Amino acid sequence: QHARIASLTLGDWTVKNLPVHVLETRRFSAAARGKRVDGILGTVLLYHFLASLDYPAGQLILRRRTKESLKQIEKEARAERHIVVPFWMAGDHFLVAWGRVNQSPPLLLFVDTGLAGLGFTAPQSTLNEAGIKPGSGAGSAGRFTVEELALGEATGRNIPGVFGPFPPSLEYAQGFRIAGLISHGFFKPYVLTLDFTGMRFFLRAGRPG
């Protein structure tokens, strides 16, 4: 079901007249380490800001989406040599960018930060190409480790993954191949900034809060 709420306040920001998807979110409490989950912020909301997910510090940073704010981010990126990864937007929320799984050729990966506790999921075809065999024993069913996972020039090693959450229909649903979903576990060392003006991800090493 879909609905609309009058306003949503996040820190000092108030967003008004907000379309929402009605969903039972309490079931996600396990992914939030037992905390009650009262809602989920989606890509369409973040699109209106220059949003940064600071994983090490545990912060969501929202900047006004202006030319001045973007110039400041670009200046910091040049000075501190941040990793910049171009992305494309398919549909209303599929953010895809080039990456690699182990020694694969470049693959288009869906960037979705919602796979809490894990860094990667993919269809069987991608796991076969990368030589990955998910576990089958009690407590490890479907789980695997990616020796090397890359998004642009950002590279992570020994990234935890799981087979199953990636819907088979998603692989070709957008008219091109989406070879996997890269998520939370990969981005943990980084501050991830989403620039929907230049269609770029900025990644820099984070500092614990």
Side-chain angles (χ1 to χ4, degrees):
Q1 297 180 2
H2 293 82
R4 190 173 295 274
I5 58 176
S7 66
L8 172 69
T9 299
L10 301 167
D12 294 331
W13 291 102
T14 297
V15 183
K16 296 183 178 180
N17 198 28
L18 189 70
V20 297
H21 178 68
V22 180
L23 180 70
E24 177 49 65
T25 59
R26 301 291 170 82
R27 67 189 187 194
F28 299 112
S29 62
R33 299 180 182 177
K35 295 183 177 66
R36 195 177 82 177
V37 177
D38 293 315
I40 296 171
L41 304 179
T43 302
V44 176
L45 174 66
L46 299 180
Y47 177 89
H48 292 83
F49 298 92
L50 271 170
S52 297
L53 295 167
D54 187 338
Y55 282 91
Q59 294 180 331
L60 170 64
I61 303 164
L62 299 175
R63 301 176 181 87
R64 195 179 295 277
R65 189 176 161 183
T66 64
K67 291 181 180 179
E68 292 72 21
S69 295
L70 184 55
K71 285 180 180 179
Q72 182 61 34
I73 289 175
E74 291 173 334
K75 181 180 178 181
E76 292 171 1
R78 289 191 295 269
E80 302 175 15
R81 297 186 178 180
H82 298 177
I83 298 170
V84 182
V85 183
F87 71 82
W88 295 265
M89 195 168 180
D92 64 353
H93 72 284
F94 293 100
L95 308 182
V96 295
W98 290 109
R100 288 181 294 101
V101 183
N102 289 336
Q103 301 306 310
S104 75
L107 301 168
L108 277 175
L109 302 178
F110 172 24
V111 177
D112 183 346
T113 58
L115 194 64
L118 296 166
F120 189 67
T121 186
Q124 187 65 58
S125 60
T126 299
L127 300 187
N128 291 343
E129 293 166 7
I132 295 172
K133 294 182 179 181
S136 57
S140 64
R143 293 184 176 260
F144 57 83
T145 299
V146 184
E147 292 181 8
E148 185 174 289
L149 183 63
L151 185 71
E153 298 300 319
T155 302
R157 290 176 173 78
N158 299 320
I159 302 299
V162 65
F163 176 73
F166 190 97
S169 61
L170 178 59
E171 188 172 2
Y172 290 100
Q174 298 299 317
F176 54 88
R177 186 186 182 207
I178 296 177
L181 185 155
I182 190 167
S183 191
H184 182 93
F186 176 84
F187 294 110
K188 283 175 67 175
Y190 296 105
V191 178
L192 170 66
T193 297
L194 292 81
D195 167 24
F196 287 96
T197 300
M199 303 297 280
R200 298 169 291 180
F201 298 119
F202 291 88
L203 294 100
R204 69 166 174 84
R207 294 177 286 274

